[in-house]
């Protein structure tokens, strides 16, 4: 079974600085998808960025970028120029490509989350 | 586009009561799912569906039933509520069969069972 580990329960960053959130995962599949979701206090789950395992180029979305290391099974999120609105719980998630009943394509496996605080 | 709509936003039940959490999406997504979120646990899959008439179990299905009679709706039924089912419940949907399609989440239902 796939597992996703976020080793930092809490992180803090000064406004305008850069912070990196860690995520590692375990899988025997060679093709899969990785996601970062943000959950602010409003409870809404917001997609931040996504990466396909077969693409070597790291995904970027404005101030958000990832460092995807497939061999190390690592998928860290870098937030540049941090803003107060970035304060939230961040979840790393994995989805595989198995299509059997209960297969990994039908389930998003989440880490336990990292709570990010942004200090003014 | 309303996206994924969940009702109610909050609910308090007594042990043994039953209820249905509603979920509807207007994006014509084939895949729909229910997750529960507990402190320190991330989100865990309860049930999912890949189309009308097709449902399957996730990681934590016990105590919950689902059905999918239309593409738009995917209700979650608690048959006999227990305090262990106190949680935040999310409905989510996505396009099936498209690489890397992300899950779109509803705003969640906070359920308390006393």
């Amino acid at each position: 079974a796939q597992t996703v580990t976020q080793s930092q329960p809490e992180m803090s960053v000064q406004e305008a600085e850069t912070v990196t959130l860690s995520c590692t995962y375990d899988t025997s599949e060679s093709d899969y998808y990785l996601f970062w979701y943000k959950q602010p206090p409003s409870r809404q789950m917001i997609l931040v960025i996504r990466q396909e395992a077969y693409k070597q180029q790291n995904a970027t979305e404005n101030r958000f970028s990832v460092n995807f290391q497939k061999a190390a099974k690592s998928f860290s999120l870098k937030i540049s120029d941090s803003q107060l609105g970035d304060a939230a719980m961040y979840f790393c998630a994995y989805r595989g490509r198995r299509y059997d009943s209960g297969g990994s394509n039908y389930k998003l496996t989440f880490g336990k989350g990292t709570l990010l605080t942004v200090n003014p | 586009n309303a996206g994924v709509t969940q009702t109610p936003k909050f609910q308090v039940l007594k042990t043994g009561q039953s209820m249905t959490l509603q979920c509807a999406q207007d994006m014509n997504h084939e895949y729909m799912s229910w997750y529960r979120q507990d402190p320190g646990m991330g989100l865990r899959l309860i049930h999912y569906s890949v189309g009308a008439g097709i449902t399957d179990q996730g990681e934590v299905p016990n105590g919950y039933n689902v059905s999918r009679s239309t593409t738009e709706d995917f209700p979650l039924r608690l048959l006999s509520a227990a305090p262990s089912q106190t949680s935040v419940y999310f409905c989510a949907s996505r396009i099936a069969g498209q690489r890397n399609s992300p899950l779109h989440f509803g705003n969640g239902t906070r359920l308390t069972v006393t």
Side-chain angles (χ1 to χ4, degrees):
Chain A
Q2 293 78 22
T3 58
V4 177
T5 302
Q6 294 180 247
S7 58
Q8 306 149 317
E10 295 184 26
M11 293 279 285
S12 64
V13 63
Q14 291 297 125
E15 200 175 359
E17 304 264 302
T18 295
V19 64
T20 298
L21 308 184
S22 300
C23 172
T24 59
Y25 56 93
D26 188 29
T27 183
S28 58
E29 298 182 73
S30 59
D31 194 13
Y32 46 84
Y33 312 110
L34 297 163
F35 303 85
W36 278 98
Y37 279 88
K38 167 185 175 181
Q39 186 179 43
S42 66
R43 197 169 74 196
Q44 192 178 3
M45 291 289 288
I46 302 164
L47 176 70
V48 175
I49 200 164
R50 49 184 157 163
Q51 174 83 39
E52 296 191 56
Y54 81 93
K55 289 186 178 178
Q56 299 205 349
Q57 187 173 4
N58 289 326
T60 62
E61 288 286 344
N62 301 315
R63 297 182 296 107
F64 298 88
S65 61
V66 298
N67 183 5
F68 173 49
Q69 301 287 329
K70 190 173 183 180
K73 295 180 182 173
S74 171
F75 183 60
S76 60
L77 175 69
K78 185 169 86 171
I79 306 173
S80 303
D81 186 24
S82 297
Q83 301 175 0
L84 295 176
D86 294 334
M89 182 73 86
Y90 286 81
F91 292 99
C92 179
Y94 167 101
R95 189 172 91 225
R97 296 208 66 216
R98 279 182 33 236
Y99 291 90
D100 53 311
S101 174
S104 61
N105 188 256
Y106 300 121
K107 178 174 83 169
L108 201 54
T109 300
F110 287 86
K112 294 184 180 180
T114 296
L115 182 63
L116 178 67
T117 303
V118 181
N119 300 311
Chain B
N1 255 0
V4 180
T5 303
Q6 285 184 242
T7 55
K9 288 187 170 58
F10 301 93
Q11 183 71 48
V12 179
L13 290 179
K14 293 189 189 312
T15 297
Q17 287 185 316
S18 63
M19 80 157 296
T20 299
L21 305 185
Q22 301 292 345
C23 176
Q25 53 90 10
D26 62 358
M27 297 174 282
N28 204 30
H29 287 171
E30 303 92 340
Y31 175 92
M32 295 185 74
S33 56
W34 280 100
Y35 286 80
R36 60 177 288 173
Q37 181 179 21
D38 302 295
M41 300 287 291
L43 282 77
R44 293 179 294 168
L45 180 66
I46 304 171
H47 285 286
Y48 67 92
S49 168
V50 296
I54 307 169
T55 63
D56 206 344
Q57 296 182 350
E59 295 176 76
V60 288
N62 293 340
Y64 306 96
N65 270 2
V66 293
S67 60
R68 183 102 178 263
S69 54
T70 66
T71 300
E72 294 78 20
D73 300 299
F74 190 46
L76 178 72
R77 297 182 187 84
L78 281 70
L79 307 172
S80 177
S84 61
Q85 293 178 305
T86 293
S87 188
V88 177
Y89 291 84
F90 286 96
C91 180
S93 71
R94 66 174 173 85
I95 300 170
Q98 181 184 79
R99 286 190 70 93
N100 216 14
S101 58
L103 271 182
H104 298 261
F105 286 84
N107 287 336
T109 296
R110 180 175 292 280
L111 175 68
T112 303
V113 183
T114 61

